[in-house]
Amino acid sequence: MPAHQPDPESLEIAARLVQALEGRAVVSEAVGVLQGWQGCDFAQALDGLSGGTGQAGREAEAARIAAIVDAQADGTADPDYGGWA
């Protein structure tokens, strides 16, 4: 029995879906970071993240915040840290 090969259109739709979900995850993480940093609620953090620049600007700002957090992260502060590198 031959393996099913998805059509190119289905692959393109799936790729766009994955990209959209990744973008939402990054934005949600950044909203949480802003809530912690600024002590604000979800709507205020999302509005601050957007800055009136739309979805593309929101995702770019979210990526910038993620980079700041990642750069400052100390993995050894994790109580489950077992010496991994």
Side-chain angles (χ1 to χ4, degrees), residues 4-17:
H4 174 70
Q5 296 294 323
D7 64 280
E9 183 180 358
S10 293
L11 290 174
E12 177 62 32
I13 291 169
R16 285 195 313 257
L17 177 61

Side-chain angles (χ1 to χ4, degrees), residues 20-38 40-42 45-46 48-50 55 58-73:
L21 290 172
E22 288 172 343
R24 290 190 80 163
V26 169
V27 168
S28 292
E29 182 179 324
V31 165
V33 169
L34 288 177
Q35 286 178 293
W37 283 351
Q38 299 175 353
C40 58
D41 65 21
F42 178 86
L46 185 61
L49 186 63
S50 300
Q55 183 67 24
R58 180 182 304 148
E59 289 181 8
E61 181 65 5
R64 187 186 73 78
I65 290 171
I68 291 170
V69 170
D70 289 346
Q72 294 178 2

